[in-house]
Amino acid sequence: MCHPKAMGPDRGRRENNQRMKDTLLKVSDLRMWIGEGEDAVRAVDGVDLEIRPSETFALLGESGCGKSMTALSIMRLIPYGAQIKSGSVLLNGQDLMKLPEAGMRDVRGRRIAMIFQEPQTSLNPVLTIGDQIGETLRRHAGLKGQAEKTRVVELLDAVGIPEPGERYDEYPHQLSGGMKQRVMIAIALAGEPDLLIADEPTTALDVTIQAQVLELLRKLQKETGMAILLITHDLGVVAEMADDVAVMYAGQIVEQAARDVFFETPAHPYSQKLFESLPMVTKRDQQLAVIRGSVPQLTQEFPACRFEDRCDYAWTPCREVVPRWSNVSTAQRVRCHLYDARYKDTKPVSSIERAKPGRKVAKPISMNGPLLKVADLKVYFPIQKGIFKRTVGYVRAVDGVSLHIAAAKTLALVGESGSGKTTAGKGILQLIRPTAGSVVFNGEELTELKGQALRRRRADIQFIFQDPYASMNPRMMIADIVEEGMIAQRIGKNRKARQDRVDELLEQVGLSAEVKSRYAHEFSGGQRQRICIARALAVEPKLIICDEPTSALDVSVQAQILNLFKDLQDRFGLAYLFITHNLSVVEYLAHDVAVMYLGRIVEQGTVEEVLYNAQHPYTQALLSAVPVLDKETKREIIRLEGDMPSPANPPIGCHFHPRCPQVMAKCKDAYPPSASFSDSHSARCYLYTG
């Protein structure tokens, strides 16, 4: 690792900042509009915040609230057609809004650096890793030649990339998602900034990689004294990282507090709803609280509270008066009439209570025998080389998976990206023909079906994809998208009957029948996912394979979708194969869990057995890496070294042994047999097989 003293000539400047008691960054009344006139989008509408040296300030809120636009406005990287309408951004007392563009080029990368949400689209695919990091060094440190390369290798080493010298000449496509994010951090650190803006830096990462990235940011912050502006919608990440928290809604900050105060007593009704929307095991028999409606259009000037039409506590002042800041305590302030002394005698009595969870739902329907039984499923992809495309090996994406799902039950399939979860789901549905193994659905062997017989059976098993927009034809109206499956399966007497069924399905998933004449691009992410669910339900399936259906959704929209899944299961007896890496969703929704690593199931059992009595070292590492809201929770995060091996060349013996903290000599010889802990709980590990 790069020693702090090797971090460059600006170390003295940063140490001075650490000793300063003044604010590093002070943003006052920042307003950024996109467009002109009545149609202008008020993306950032009067934001105030302060960040001190060496501290982490978290900006929290739903998509569309203006978090990223606030960061881009601070950097003066606003979109085409946008303009800063007012406000000041003071960095160590210097107003960045008054600098010419040439002056801002000296600020960006050197004094303020930014990590963007998606490293794949942020890195240049035609430049090597060394060139992309070196660009910052040439611009801000004046390094060239061997000195530049040496510094790049130091930075790669500092962010924990193995064999940094070899990575210097590699391209982004040769790196994993976690490695790309580390490269983005290395680029940001190259200028040794006073402030690092991290925009959703872990959203697309597995929990194990997320834990590594967050630990890296904490370590580098401790070594260099830089401040961090962390933009996220993940409350667990905020709990792990932040010193101070600001909640943003509709272009404006509505609550600001010290982290511990915020997590103990969130004040604004919007903040409270975010917490109540979180899935967890204590809410398994309840519907999650949801925030009705959506973030309002920012093309309007708000004459009163922006959250009024979605708030459980709204009363007359909320509809007539713009709320002002009120101090709840010395460490917490909120923009809400509930805390305004002017209305203490008129506010609603129920306003001091938290919003209560939804109604209890009925217990799932129980049926005898498994609906789906998968035995030794294998999906191999040939590796072909040469002009004659000779097969020289195989990618063992799924390598002997066995599982079963009962009617009206949910099996969660969890694991890191690249473990084979999605390929297993597609193999079960025969979207990818298995290389070997058995898939028995309702007593019928699917691997033997072909043509029309297989198409008819697919009516009983449907697939909901991770990206709802990519899985819908942008040229088709919603009515046609939902009806398409009914036409293929010859369901419905005529078009009118099918259209009536479309109306019914849209109502079932919480959408108005009026939306059926619109197109996919006109909907939010949560609404698109509801349309995909309606499409799956159109053919009356018995099993739905859900591939990360909530991974890209805000916590409030996620709560709506999870409530819908539970409600549909209770009403229609649906079974789910739920592919995910979100273990809080597993806690809330699943009955059984299977943990997958490099194409194989390493542990499976009921939710209680796997999540609260995990036996396999890989499962234990996954669980330990999940961020927790309660800072009193004592746990040791198990760090997994390196990345998952390639399924084209899996390790001999236990596939997990190169990363396992409890590896033994026998683990390297042969794959371990199954060890049973109960009738439903088992793991493949030599720790339990002698």
Side-chain angles (χ1 to χ4, degrees):
M1 290 292 180
C2 183
H3 193 273
K5 289 184 178 179
M7 295 302 286
D10 287 337
R11 182 170 177 260
R13 169 173 56 83
R14 186 171 301 110
E15 287 178 341
N16 289 334
N17 286 340
Q18 284 186 269
R19 288 192 292 267
M20 289 174 62
K21 294 183 179 179
D22 296 333
T23 301
L24 170 66
L25 181 78
K26 183 174 182 179
V27 178
S28 302
D29 194 35
L30 183 62
R31 300 175 191 271
M32 188 274 283
W33 293 8
I34 303 173
E36 294 284 353
E38 294 181 357
D39 295 329
V41 176
R42 296 162 169 81
V44 182
D45 199 13
V47 166
D48 302 287
L49 59 86
E50 294 185 11
I51 305 176
R52 292 178 293 275
S54 303
E55 293 190 352
T56 299
F57 187 98
L59 197 56
L60 180 69
E62 292 174 279
S63 297
C65 283
K67 305 186 302 296
S68 295
M69 286 301 174
T70 298
L72 292 174
S73 298
I74 291 171
M75 298 276 284
R76 284 179 49 191
L77 292 172
I78 56 178
Y80 178 77
Q83 56 182 316
I84 304 292
K85 298 295 287 188
S86 70
S88 63
V89 177
L90 301 180
L91 181 65
N92 281 334
Q94 182 180 30
D95 193 348
L96 302 186
M97 296 296 107
K98 296 180 179 179
L99 287 179
E101 177 58 27
M104 280 303 300
R105 293 193 194 110
D106 289 330
V107 172
R108 299 186 196 114
R110 184 170 182 268
R111 298 175 63 190
I112 305 178
M114 189 165 180
I115 303 171
F116 294 93
Q117 181 172 353
E118 179 48 66
Q120 178 63 45
T121 56
S122 302
L123 294 172
N124 192 324
V126 300
L127 293 180
T128 65
I129 300 304
D131 284 339
Q132 297 188 60
I133 300 175
E135 184 179 13
T136 302
L137 295 172
R138 291 190 295 273
R139 176 70 177 81
H140 296 298
L143 297 181
K144 295 180 180 179
Q146 187 59 44
E148 175 194 320
K149 182 173 182 178
T150 300
R151 182 71 183 126
V152 169
V153 173
E154 283 182 359
L155 286 164
L156 290 173
D157 183 49
V159 298
I161 290 183
E163 300 175 337
E166 296 182 13
R167 303 293 184 187
Y168 182 91
D169 292 317
E170 292 186 351
Y171 291 86
H173 72 272
Q174 297 175 272
L175 306 181
S176 67
M179 298 274 271
K180 289 172 191 168
Q181 194 62 283
R182 288 170 181 265
V183 170
M184 286 293 300
I185 295 172
I187 293 172
L189 292 175
E192 303 178 18
D194 296 318
L195 174 65
L196 176 66
I197 300 176
D199 186 4
E200 301 276 10
T202 62
T203 296
L205 303 180
D206 298 310
V207 290
T208 51
I209 306 300
Q210 174 180 268
Q212 293 174 13
V213 170
L214 295 180
E215 182 186 36
L216 172 63
L217 289 176
R218 283 193 295 265
K219 173 182 176 294
L220 293 171
Q221 185 178 42
K222 184 178 179 181
E223 290 181 350
T224 66
M226 69 181 177
I228 296 176
L229 173 58
L230 177 65
I231 298 171
T232 184
H233 63 256
D234 190 325
L235 285 164
V237 171
V238 173
E240 292 269 337
M241 294 289 293
D243 296 294
D244 294 296
V245 182
V247 180
M248 197 163 185
Y249 183 78
Q252 190 177 70
I253 290 176
V254 296
E255 180 172 359
Q256 190 169 335
R259 178 198 58 203
D260 293 343
V261 173
F262 177 73
F263 279 88
E264 184 176 346
T265 54
H268 198 282
Y270 176 59
S271 305
Q272 295 172 7
K273 276 290 189 181
L274 290 178
F275 279 95
E276 291 167 4
S277 299
L278 290 173
M280 55 186 63
V281 69
T282 55
K283 302 177 183 178
R284 281 180 66 90
D285 294 328
Q286 299 174 338
Q287 286 198 329
L288 298 171
V290 299
I291 308 175
R292 62 178 177 270
S294 58
V295 178
Q297 293 291 325
L298 300 183
T299 53
Q300 58 183 305
E301 186 172 350
F302 293 92
C305 178
R306 301 168 188 233
F307 190 59
E308 175 268 325
D309 63 337
R310 306 178 73 190
C311 182
D312 294 337
Y313 306 137
W315 86 109
T316 304
C318 304
R319 303 180 184 96
E320 298 176 350
V321 183
V322 175
R324 65 183 185 183
W325 282 110
S326 299
N327 291 324
V328 181
S329 68
T330 56
Q332 185 175 30
R333 62 178 187 149
V334 63
R335 201 190 294 263
C336 180
H337 292 314
L338 293 175
Y339 303 89
D340 194 327
R342 294 176 296 177
Y343 306 110
K344 65 179 180 180
D345 297 326
T346 62
K347 66 184 181 182
V349 175
S350 61
S351 66
I352 59 173
E353 299 177 2
R354 289 288 189 88
K356 295 180 180 178
R359 62 173 175 80
K360 285 194 174 185
V361 296
K363 290 187 177 181
I365 300 167
S366 179
M367 296 177 65
N368 294 326
L371 177 68
L372 175 74
K373 189 172 183 179
V374 179
D376 200 29
L377 181 70
K378 296 180 180 179
V379 180
Y380 294 174
F381 299 104
I383 301 171
Q384 297 174 329
K385 289 186 177 181
I387 193 171
F388 297 108
K389 301 294 183 182
R390 291 193 179 95
T391 298
V392 296
Y394 292 91
V395 176
R396 302 170 185 266
V398 180
D399 196 16
V401 164
S402 299
L403 51 84
H404 64 272
I405 307 174
K409 296 289 186 180
T410 300
L411 170 67
L413 190 59
V414 304
E416 293 174 281
S417 297
S419 59
K421 307 185 298 297
T422 298
T423 305
K426 291 180 177 179
I428 289 170
L429 190 51
Q430 310 299 299
L431 294 176
I432 299 174
R433 278 295 189 174
T435 305
S438 170
V439 180
V440 178
F441 179 80
N442 212 14
E444 187 172 21
E445 178 61 64
L446 298 187
T447 59
E448 297 176 357
L449 297 181
K450 296 180 180 179
Q452 190 62 35
L454 179 58
R455 282 192 288 273
R456 283 197 302 270
R457 178 51 77 186
R458 280 184 177 147
D460 292 329
I461 311 176
Q462 287 292 291
F463 205 107
I464 297 175
F465 295 91
Q466 180 172 358
D467 186 343
Y469 186 66
S471 65
M472 290 190 283
N473 190 327
R475 297 182 179 88
M476 293 174 66
M477 289 190 295
I478 300 308
D480 299 326
I481 289 173
V482 177
E483 185 188 12
E484 188 176 24
M486 290 188 278
I487 295 172
Q489 295 293 338
R490 299 179 181 177
I491 295 173
K493 296 179 182 179
N494 50 45
R495 179 170 174 77
K496 183 181 184 305
R498 290 193 298 269
Q499 286 295 309
D500 289 343
R501 176 65 175 151
V502 169
D503 294 348
E504 180 185 346
L505 287 165
L506 291 173
E507 295 287 349
Q508 283 179 357
V509 299
L511 295 173
S512 168
E514 297 173 358
V515 308
K516 66 180 183 180
S517 59
R518 293 161 60 185
Y519 293 88
H521 73 270
E522 299 179 68
F523 297 89
S524 67
Q527 290 172 323
R528 290 173 190 156
Q529 199 60 283
R530 288 171 181 268
I531 293 166
C532 289
I533 295 171
R535 176 177 59 183
L537 293 174
V539 294
E540 301 177 356
K542 298 181 177 66
L543 170 68
I544 298 180
I545 300 173
C546 308
D547 186 9
E548 300 273 12
T550 63
S551 65
L553 303 180
D554 294 312
V555 63
S556 55
V557 180
Q558 175 183 267
Q560 296 173 11
I561 299 300
L562 294 179
N563 283 343
L564 178 59
F565 278 131
K566 276 214 167 187
D567 184 55
L568 294 171
Q569 189 170 63
D570 294 333
R571 289 163 63 190
F572 304 116
L574 290 173
Y576 299 123
L577 174 60
F578 207 89
I579 298 168
T580 184
H581 63 255
N582 189 331
L583 295 178
S584 62
V585 170
V586 174
E587 271 190 322
Y588 174 73
L589 190 67
H591 301 96
D592 301 293
V593 183
V595 182
M596 197 166 180
Y597 185 80
L598 207 62
R600 297 185 178 184
I601 302 294
V602 297
E603 184 167 2
Q604 56 186 321
T606 65
V607 166
E608 292 78 10
E609 289 170 333
V610 175
L611 297 191
Y612 305 115
N613 188 31
Q615 300 297 314
H616 198 281
Y618 178 60
T619 310
Q620 294 168 356
L622 282 181
L623 295 172
S624 76
V626 178
V628 294
L629 299 186
D630 185 2
K631 298 300 292 182
E632 298 302 317
T633 301
K634 301 299 181 184
R635 61 171 184 150
E636 179 183 354
I637 297 179
I638 302 171
R639 306 297 179 194
L640 296 181
E641 298 299 327
D643 293 319
M644 186 183 296
S646 169
N649 186 28
I652 298 172
C654 175
H655 290 171
F656 186 60
H657 86 255
R659 304 173 72 194
C660 183
Q662 303 182 60
V663 64
M664 301 178 289
K666 66 176 72 175
C667 302
K668 303 174 184 179
D669 297 331
Y671 202 83
S674 179
S676 296
F677 311 105
S678 71
D679 291 340
S680 56
H681 190 193
S682 63
R684 303 288 293 270
C685 183
Y686 280 119
L687 291 173
Y688 312 104
T689 58

